[in-house]
Amino acid sequence: MRVARRLIGLAGLALAAGPTAAGSVWVASQQGARATRIERPDGARVAEVGAALAVAPSPAVVAAGPGGRLYLSHPDGRAITVIAPDGTTRQWPVPGQAFGLAADPDGRALYVGDWSGNRVLRLSAETGAVEAEVAVGRDPAGLALGVDGRLYVAERENRSVGVVDTARMARIAGIPVGDGPFALAYDLVRDRVYVANVRSNDLTVIDAGALKPIATVPVGASPYGVAIGPDGRRVVVTNQHAGTVSIVDAEALAVVATVPVGRYPEGVAILGGRAYVANWFSDDVSVIDLAALTETGRIPVAEGPRTVAADRPVPGEAGR
């Protein structure tokens, strides 16, 4: 069993009963079957481990929805776990191997990639009922919602990103990318999609308006996760086999820093000027200061952290 229970450079570690005004990130731990909340109070260099909720076995992807709701996919269990803002959980059966997730910001729909069924399902975000489906390329991995109702799908074995019109649930384009596209992130500032290609060790940059690739950025070995901050300045790519994170300047489209992190970094999310990286084999989360371009600490979590998501504001909570 992989064990790593150390903290590096953090001012403190505390248990918290509820969310803070600064927002939080959630970590899905596959082997530990936990969803763990990590909080960062504004103006403090303190990471707080909040709730560590037991969920069904082998959660793969965690996604945040509006109003503080959280979703986790269970490919082996063919199910979705839904966590309400008060911490209560429920489970929805899914007719397929649920993997990638994307929650509609209006709170009406949840999009689920069926890994073995080569399709995307649209579920009611309230009941989990399947409302529609669309065929996509082989082994759909990461999902990301853009503007104008477009959903971007990393089609791993097609070497492409599928574009789905969610109003019609129709695949309207397939964009060629690198080898093994796995994770992607949508950039609202520049209307771009960044695609981590796990086999060709690079990042494809797509012009979402034109639906075509505009650049390829070499990164580290086996890029597995990607995130971009709300200001659109930095793209963060996890390099699974290198044990590093590549930080890409979105204007120059060049790597400006390579930051060592834990073993087998996978998912990444950005909150409050920091990137949070799930280190699958060292059972912790690296915290990276995106201004200083350095790792400032590691937070122990349950065994096998795979993915991370920044939560969305809960209506009525000040400062979120």
Side-chain angles (χ1 to χ4, degrees):
M1 182 175 69
R2 299 184 304 277
V3 178
R5 292 290 180 264
R6 63 185 182 279
L7 274 162
I8 307 172
L10 292 178
L13 178 68
L15 294 179
T20 71
S24 53
V25 297
W26 285 87
V27 184
S29 292
Q30 188 174 62
Q31 285 84 354
R34 292 289 187 276
T36 302
R37 188 178 65 238
I38 298 172
E39 300 165 354
R40 186 197 58 78
D42 279 338
R45 293 177 61 83
V46 179
E48 295 184 341
V49 176
L53 303 177
V55 296
S58 301
V61 174
V62 57
R69 185 176 292 178
L70 201 72
Y71 303 95
L72 294 95
S73 63
H74 304 269
D76 295 338
R78 295 176 175 260
I80 300 290
T81 293
V82 186
I83 302 178
D86 64 2
T88 58
T89 65
R90 51 184 167 149
Q91 195 169 65
W92 295 335
V94 176
Q97 196 174 15
F99 188 74
L101 301 174
D104 197 313
D106 66 10
R108 296 179 182 177
L110 176 71
Y111 298 94
V112 181
D114 178 0
W115 180 271
S116 57
N118 301 328
R119 60 181 175 167
V120 171
L121 307 172
R122 185 177 70 207
L123 275 55
S124 164
E126 290 300 322
T127 68
V130 177
E131 298 178 336
E133 65 176 74
V134 57
V136 295
R138 291 171 54 205
D139 292 0
L143 307 181
L145 278 164
V147 295
D148 300 328
R150 286 179 173 176
L151 178 73
Y152 300 92
V153 183
E155 300 169 336
R156 192 186 69 167
E157 296 307 312
N158 273 38
R159 298 185 64 167
S160 60
V161 167
V163 184
V164 173
D165 178 339
T166 58
R168 296 184 290 128
M169 285 299 283
R171 185 180 183 272
I172 60 173
I175 304 168
V177 294
D179 191 4
F182 193 84
L184 37 72
Y186 176 73
D187 177 1
L188 180 63
V189 175
R190 294 178 174 82
D191 193 25
R192 291 176 179 169
V193 180
Y194 299 95
V195 186
N197 302 306
V198 73
R199 296 193 189 116
S200 52
N201 301 331
D202 52 27
L203 183 75
T204 300
V205 184
I206 294 172
D207 181 326
L211 295 180
K212 65 179 184 180
I214 57 173
T216 300
V217 182
V219 290
S222 298
Y224 201 90
V226 61
I228 184 163
D231 62 3
R233 293 184 59 221
R234 302 294 195 205
V235 184
V236 180
V237 183
T238 63
N239 303 311
Q240 187 192 61
H241 290 174
T244 63
V245 165
S246 296
I247 300 178
V248 177
D249 183 287
E251 182 67 29
L253 291 179
V255 174
V256 294
T258 300
V259 182
V261 289
R263 297 173 58 210
Y264 264 61
E266 295 207 344
V268 56
I270 295 173
L271 177 68
R274 291 175 171 84
Y276 295 81
V277 178
N279 300 312
W280 184 22
F281 278 15
S282 51
D283 299 338
D284 53 24
V285 173
S286 290
V287 183
I288 297 174
D289 185 319
L290 294 179
L293 303 179
T294 58
E295 183 191 52
T296 60
R298 293 185 194 169
I299 304 167
V301 293
E303 184 181 6
R306 302 295 303 270
T307 55
V308 191
D311 69 1
R312 298 183 180 182
V314 176
E317 286 193 11
R320 300 264 326 252

